[in-house]
Structure formats: structure tokens, C-alpha cells
Amino acid sequence: MTFFEAVQKRYSYRGAYQAVPVPRGDLQKIMEAGLAAPSGCNAQTASLIGLDDPALIKTIGGLLGNSGFAAAPAAVCVLTRAVPVYRGMRFNTQDYAAAIENCLLAITALGYASCWVEGQITGDPGIQQKIAQTLGVPEEYIVAAYLPIGIPEKEGKRPSYKPFSERAWFNGFGIH
Ligand SMILES: Cc1cc2nc3c(=O)[nH]c(=O)nc-3n(C[C@H](O)[C@H](O)[C@H](O)COP(=O)(O)O)c2cc1C
């Protein structure tokens, strides 16, 4: 699959996964793609925990209330450190967002599906804390997002996106 095919094929999958393991090598490739993303001042504030232990995945999927996520063969938990890096500014949100998109494109390119699960975690500090406890995450790291990974039982589809001309222009706002 080419880069541009992966970009257009990626979508959020929230259903059940086939009981086909994700080899550790694929999981590492996905994580390496994530860590290759740019970061503000190259501070590399995003960290990743790859998961292929069914018990851990079941626990986290249960916390998220999604039976598909709970039975996914693999996942990546995305961590961030909110440290100031330039004139008191923090870029950690941008850093982990870039890392996540790289992971999602790698997941798609390898023939798997996933979902950027963030609101369900950060919207409930209780869940965020329980995931951190489950994975032994130290206090200076924040659990930012979770990406289940596997081959979908039934392919989903991309939602509709606004047309190019509504959101992008050339040489000035609104110019086509
Ligand atoms: C910052 C962010 C937070 C998200 N949080 C969640 C989430 O908690 N649960 C979920 O099912 N999807 C979540 N999503 C996925 C979006 O709902 C999804 O990307 C959007 O609806 C567009 O669909 P697509 O990914 O299929 O193109 C999140 C996406 C982003 C970028």
C-alpha cells in the first residue's frame, strides 16, 4: 500500500477484531513509526507502550466499555509528559498527536485497523488513572490515548469528509 493509499484508507474502527495475533515485529514497526514523528524542539515527549498481552488488553477494553477493544489482539497506549520546552510553552499535545497519526498510518499500511481513543480516556480521570495503574505508568507521564490494533471482523468505512474546496485554498483564504 502506498503512503497516499494508507492516508485515504485509515478510518476509526470500533468493532470486533479477528482472533489473529499481531506479530511483535508489526507492533514494533507501528511503534517505531510513532516515535519517528516530529516533536516541538525535538523534546520527544510522547512515549508508547505496546500491548499484546490479552489480559491487559481485556482490562483496558473493559475500562473503555468496548468489547471489540477488549478482545483486540494488540494495542498501543500513548503517554505524554507535559514539560515546557520553549519560552515556557508546552508542545506535548502536538507531539503525541503527530505520533498517533504516524502509528495509525502504519497500522493501516500493515493491513490492520484501529481507533484514536482519547476523549473516552481524558474525559474521565478515573479511567485515565486506572489505565496508568494497570500499565505501571510513573506519575510524570500522562495517559493520552489508546489505539486498539487488529484485523477487523467486518471492515468499517470512512465517514464523509467535507469537500477539499470547503477547507483548503491556494494563495489566500477562500481562493480556488
Ligand atoms: C483528539 C481525538 C480524540 C478522539 N477520541 C475518540 C474516542 O475517545 N473514542 C472514539 O471512538 N473515537 C475517538 N476519536 C476518533 C474520531 O471520532 C474520528 O477520528 C472522527 O470521527 C473521524 O472519523 P475517522 O477517524 O473514521 O476518519 C478521536 C479522534 C481524535 C483526533
Side-chain angles (χ1 to χ4, degrees), residues 142-155:
I142 300 161
V143 174
Y146 184 77
L147 316 174
I149 304 169
I151 301 173
E153 194 119 299
K154 190 167 164 265
E155 276 285 349

PDB file of all heavy atoms in Angstrom, residues 142-155:
ATOM      1  N   ILE A 142       1.473  11.110  31.475  1.00  0.00           N
ATOM      2  CA  ILE A 142       0.004  11.148  31.412  1.00  0.00           C
ATOM      3  C   ILE A 142      -0.445  10.169  30.329  1.00  0.00           C
ATOM      4  O   ILE A 142       0.131  10.159  29.232  1.00  0.00           O
ATOM      5  CB  ILE A 142      -0.476  12.572  31.029  1.00  0.00           C
ATOM      6  CG1 ILE A 142      -0.005  13.584  32.074  1.00  0.00           C
ATOM      7  CG2 ILE A 142      -1.985  12.623  30.854  1.00  0.00           C
ATOM      8  CD1 ILE A 142      -0.019  15.018  31.564  1.00  0.00           C
ATOM      9  N   VAL A 143      -1.460   9.372  30.617  1.00  0.00           N
ATOM     10  CA  VAL A 143      -2.041   8.503  29.577  1.00  0.00           C
ATOM     11  C   VAL A 143      -2.886   9.399  28.678  1.00  0.00           C
ATOM     12  O   VAL A 143      -3.880   9.973  29.114  1.00  0.00           O
ATOM     13  CB  VAL A 143      -2.897   7.380  30.195  1.00  0.00           C
ATOM     14  CG1 VAL A 143      -3.614   6.595  29.099  1.00  0.00           C
ATOM     15  CG2 VAL A 143      -2.043   6.459  31.049  1.00  0.00           C
ATOM     16  N   ALA A 144      -2.469   9.532  27.406  1.00  0.00           N
ATOM     17  CA  ALA A 144      -3.120  10.478  26.492  1.00  0.00           C
ATOM     18  C   ALA A 144      -4.125   9.796  25.577  1.00  0.00           C
ATOM     19  O   ALA A 144      -5.158  10.377  25.237  1.00  0.00           O
ATOM     20  CB  ALA A 144      -2.066  11.184  25.647  1.00  0.00           C
ATOM     21  N   ALA A 145      -3.822   8.590  25.145  1.00  0.00           N
ATOM     22  CA  ALA A 145      -4.688   7.941  24.155  1.00  0.00           C
ATOM     23  C   ALA A 145      -4.378   6.445  24.108  1.00  0.00           C
ATOM     24  O   ALA A 145      -3.366   5.978  24.658  1.00  0.00           O
ATOM     25  CB  ALA A 145      -4.474   8.561  22.780  1.00  0.00           C
ATOM     26  N   TYR A 146      -5.249   5.736  23.413  1.00  0.00           N
ATOM     27  CA  TYR A 146      -5.136   4.280  23.316  1.00  0.00           C
ATOM     28  C   TYR A 146      -5.541   3.872  21.901  1.00  0.00           C
ATOM     29  O   TYR A 146      -6.547   4.377  21.381  1.00  0.00           O
ATOM     30  CB  TYR A 146      -6.079   3.657  24.352  1.00  0.00           C
ATOM     31  CG  TYR A 146      -6.010   2.160  24.455  1.00  0.00           C
ATOM     32  CD1 TYR A 146      -4.964   1.541  25.131  1.00  0.00           C
ATOM     33  CD2 TYR A 146      -7.014   1.369  23.901  1.00  0.00           C
ATOM     34  CE1 TYR A 146      -4.910   0.156  25.247  1.00  0.00           C
ATOM     35  CE2 TYR A 146      -6.974  -0.015  24.023  1.00  0.00           C
ATOM     36  CZ  TYR A 146      -5.920  -0.604  24.703  1.00  0.00           C
ATOM     37  OH  TYR A 146      -5.869  -1.967  24.818  1.00  0.00           O
ATOM     38  N   LEU A 147      -4.755   3.010  21.286  1.00  0.00           N
ATOM     39  CA  LEU A 147      -5.031   2.578  19.914  1.00  0.00           C
ATOM     40  C   LEU A 147      -5.162   1.052  19.878  1.00  0.00           C
ATOM     41  O   LEU A 147      -4.143   0.352  19.940  1.00  0.00           O
ATOM     42  CB  LEU A 147      -3.885   2.995  18.975  1.00  0.00           C
ATOM     43  CG  LEU A 147      -3.327   4.414  19.122  1.00  0.00           C
ATOM     44  CD1 LEU A 147      -2.105   4.603  18.216  1.00  0.00           C
ATOM     45  CD2 LEU A 147      -4.392   5.444  18.801  1.00  0.00           C
ATOM     46  N   PRO A 148      -6.378   0.509  19.822  1.00  0.00           N
ATOM     47  CA  PRO A 148      -6.509  -0.947  19.646  1.00  0.00           C
ATOM     48  C   PRO A 148      -6.010  -1.311  18.244  1.00  0.00           C
ATOM     49  O   PRO A 148      -6.088  -0.480  17.334  1.00  0.00           O
ATOM     50  CB  PRO A 148      -8.018  -1.190  19.766  1.00  0.00           C
ATOM     51  CG  PRO A 148      -8.650   0.122  19.482  1.00  0.00           C
ATOM     52  CD  PRO A 148      -7.651   1.194  19.791  1.00  0.00           C
ATOM     53  N   ILE A 149      -5.509  -2.510  18.075  1.00  0.00           N
ATOM     54  CA  ILE A 149      -4.966  -2.905  16.761  1.00  0.00           C
ATOM     55  C   ILE A 149      -5.368  -4.333  16.443  1.00  0.00           C
ATOM     56  O   ILE A 149      -5.241  -5.228  17.291  1.00  0.00           O
ATOM     57  CB  ILE A 149      -3.422  -2.836  16.743  1.00  0.00           C
ATOM     58  CG1 ILE A 149      -2.931  -1.445  17.134  1.00  0.00           C
ATOM     59  CG2 ILE A 149      -2.873  -3.204  15.354  1.00  0.00           C
ATOM     60  CD1 ILE A 149      -1.431  -1.381  17.406  1.00  0.00           C
ATOM     61  N   GLY A 150      -5.796  -4.557  15.197  1.00  0.00           N
ATOM     62  CA  GLY A 150      -6.083  -5.918  14.752  1.00  0.00           C
ATOM     63  C   GLY A 150      -6.741  -5.902  13.386  1.00  0.00           C
ATOM     64  O   GLY A 150      -6.959  -4.828  12.800  1.00  0.00           O
ATOM     65  N   ILE A 151      -7.021  -7.110  12.911  1.00  0.00           N
ATOM     66  CA  ILE A 151      -7.736  -7.216  11.632  1.00  0.00           C
ATOM     67  C   ILE A 151      -9.232  -7.169  11.943  1.00  0.00           C
ATOM     68  O   ILE A 151      -9.712  -7.932  12.786  1.00  0.00           O
ATOM     69  CB  ILE A 151      -7.385  -8.547  10.920  1.00  0.00           C
ATOM     70  CG1 ILE A 151      -5.871  -8.622  10.681  1.00  0.00           C
ATOM     71  CG2 ILE A 151      -8.161  -8.676   9.610  1.00  0.00           C
ATOM     72  CD1 ILE A 151      -5.405  -9.966  10.134  1.00  0.00           C
ATOM     73  N   PRO A 152      -9.947  -6.258  11.307  1.00  0.00           N
ATOM     74  CA  PRO A 152     -11.378  -6.129  11.635  1.00  0.00           C
ATOM     75  C   PRO A 152     -12.162  -7.376  11.254  1.00  0.00           C
ATOM     76  O   PRO A 152     -11.879  -7.996  10.221  1.00  0.00           O
ATOM     77  CB  PRO A 152     -11.843  -4.941  10.797  1.00  0.00           C
ATOM     78  CG  PRO A 152     -10.705  -4.493   9.994  1.00  0.00           C
ATOM     79  CD  PRO A 152      -9.507  -5.324  10.283  1.00  0.00           C
ATOM     80  N   GLU A 153     -13.119  -7.730  12.098  1.00  0.00           N
ATOM     81  CA  GLU A 153     -14.028  -8.837  11.770  1.00  0.00           C
ATOM     82  C   GLU A 153     -14.820  -8.463  10.518  1.00  0.00           C
ATOM     83  O   GLU A 153     -15.003  -9.268   9.616  1.00  0.00           O
ATOM     84  CB  GLU A 153     -14.970  -9.034  12.952  1.00  0.00           C
ATOM     85  CG  GLU A 153     -15.695 -10.334  12.866  1.00  0.00           C
ATOM     86  CD  GLU A 153     -15.385 -11.221  14.038  1.00  0.00           C
ATOM     87  OE1 GLU A 153     -14.203 -11.586  14.242  1.00  0.00           O
ATOM     88  OE2 GLU A 153     -16.343 -11.558  14.729  1.00  0.00           O
ATOM     89  N   LYS A 154     -15.283  -7.250  10.487  1.00  0.00           N
ATOM     90  CA  LYS A 154     -16.045  -6.744   9.343  1.00  0.00           C
ATOM     91  C   LYS A 154     -15.550  -5.318   9.093  1.00  0.00           C
ATOM     92  O   LYS A 154     -15.646  -4.472   9.979  1.00  0.00           O
ATOM     93  CB  LYS A 154     -17.534  -6.711   9.730  1.00  0.00           C
ATOM     94  CG  LYS A 154     -18.480  -6.433   8.619  1.00  0.00           C
ATOM     95  CD  LYS A 154     -19.923  -6.756   9.060  1.00  0.00           C
ATOM     96  CE  LYS A 154     -20.916  -6.130   8.116  1.00  0.00           C
ATOM     97  NZ  LYS A 154     -21.415  -4.841   8.538  1.00  0.00           N
ATOM     98  N   GLU A 155     -14.996  -5.110   7.886  1.00  0.00           N
ATOM     99  CA  GLU A 155     -14.444  -3.784   7.559  1.00  0.00           C
ATOM    100  C   GLU A 155     -15.472  -2.678   7.805  1.00  0.00           C
ATOM    101  O   GLU A 155     -16.641  -2.829   7.444  1.00  0.00           O
ATOM    102  CB  GLU A 155     -14.037  -3.740   6.080  1.00  0.00           C
ATOM    103  CG  GLU A 155     -12.653  -4.313   5.789  1.00  0.00           C
ATOM    104  CD  GLU A 155     -11.508  -3.393   6.213  1.00  0.00           C
ATOM    105  OE1 GLU A 155     -11.765  -2.219   6.550  1.00  0.00           O
ATOM    106  OE2 GLU A 155     -10.348  -3.861   6.204  1.00  0.00           O
TER     107      GLU A 155
END
